[in-house]
Amino acid sequence: MRADARKNYSHLLAVAREVVTEHGVDASMRDIARRADVGLATLLRHFPTREALFEALLCTNLDALTRKAGELETSKPPDEALVSWFREVVAFVQSYRGVVDLVASAHDDPDSALYASCATVHSVGAQLLQRAQAEGTARADMNGDDLFALMSALGWTAGQPAFAPRADHLFHIIASAILTNPSSDDAKKAAC
């Protein structure tokens, strides 16, 4: 990519991140182009679809979640690694209003631009869960799909104004339900 094209791409992503942070995933492509001071055609040249734009916006976050899972897997006991990573994912899905819907629908759609990134996040989460299950510290009747669904549900719920004040409490309830023998100390330590 030429230097000027790379600069435009970076500028468009920065502006898109601002607009999506303000308006959620329903932000208008026209609004993003207008705010970036480019024509819609320029935005569409870089990001031909809304999903392509969100894949570019979210891939950094999703890649970071994948790396974080690897770090936690090697540095923390299985139950702590699982719950710490779970908290990271929930924080991510709360970062943009409406991202839960995008990620949840991409999870099951191989044609989605977000599918590969979501599949990777799903896979590393399942690995952390299986590791905790092998140690006997996580419920044996769960699988990666259950974990993904719980993260999505908690992210959506905590993003609702009526439930936002109880987000930490809800997180602890769900984390305690995932672990087999969570002591309140362990759940709090893992949640940090």
Side-chain angles (χ1 to χ4, degrees), residues 129-153:
L129 175 63
Q130 290 167 354
R131 181 174 169 246
Q133 288 170 327
E135 291 285 321
T137 57
R139 296 173 63 120
D141 62 344
M142 283 184 68
N143 64 25
D145 289 335
D146 299 330
L147 185 65
F148 199 81
L150 287 172
M151 290 182 295
S152 298

Side-chain angles (χ1 to χ4, degrees), residues 67-87:
R67 283 191 308 278
K68 185 70 171 178
E71 292 167 15
L72 290 168
E73 191 169 20
T74 60
S75 68
K76 293 197 179 249
D79 56 341
E80 286 182 37
L82 176 61
V83 174
S84 294
W85 186 80
F86 186 83
R87 180 173 281 289

Side-chain angles (χ1 to χ4, degrees), residues 4-186:
D4 60 332
R6 190 174 25 250
K7 183 179 174 185
N8 283 342
Y9 181 87
S10 295
H11 174 67
L12 288 170
L13 270 182
V15 170
R17 192 172 313 283
E18 288 173 16
V19 173
V20 171
T21 298
E22 290 172 23
H23 301 286
V25 297
D26 292 329
S28 158
M29 295 285 275
R30 286 187 189 283
D31 189 30
I32 293 168
R34 192 174 308 116
R35 188 142 356 144
D37 204 25
V38 300
L40 183 59
T42 299
L43 178 65
L44 293 174
R45 209 171 18 259
H46 288 282
F47 308 105
T49 65
R50 179 177 209 68
E51 261 194 345
L53 173 63
F54 280 99
E55 196 276 332
L57 277 176
L58 301 179
C59 76
T60 301
N61 301 80
L62 295 171
D63 291 348
L65 289 170
T66 300
R67 283 191 308 278
K68 185 70 171 178
E71 292 167 15
L72 290 168
E73 191 169 20
T74 60
S75 68
K76 293 197 179 249
D79 56 341
E80 286 182 37
L82 176 61
V83 174
S84 294
W85 186 80
F86 186 83
R87 180 173 281 289
E88 296 271 341
V89 174
V90 170
F92 158 67
V93 296
Q94 289 176 297
S95 63
Y96 298 118
R97 190 173 60 251
V99 77
V100 170
D101 294 336
L102 277 178
V103 171
S105 63
H107 166 70
D108 214 20
D109 179 8
D111 294 328
S112 166
L114 292 169
Y115 178 77
S117 296
C118 289
T120 301
V121 168
H122 181 280
S123 176
V124 298
Q127 283 178 258
L128 289 172
L129 175 63
Q130 290 167 354
R131 181 174 169 246
Q133 288 170 327
E135 291 285 321
T137 57
R139 296 173 63 120
D141 62 344
M142 283 184 68
N143 64 25
D145 289 335
D146 299 330
L147 185 65
F148 199 81
L150 287 172
M151 290 182 295
S152 298
L154 184 56
W156 180 87
T157 301
Q160 302 307 304
F163 299 114
R166 299 190 50 81
D168 274 346
H169 178 70
L170 294 170
F171 177 85
H172 290 295
I173 289 171
I174 291 177
S176 295
I178 293 169
L179 301 178
T180 53
N181 283 322
S183 71
S184 57
D185 236 15
D186 288 343

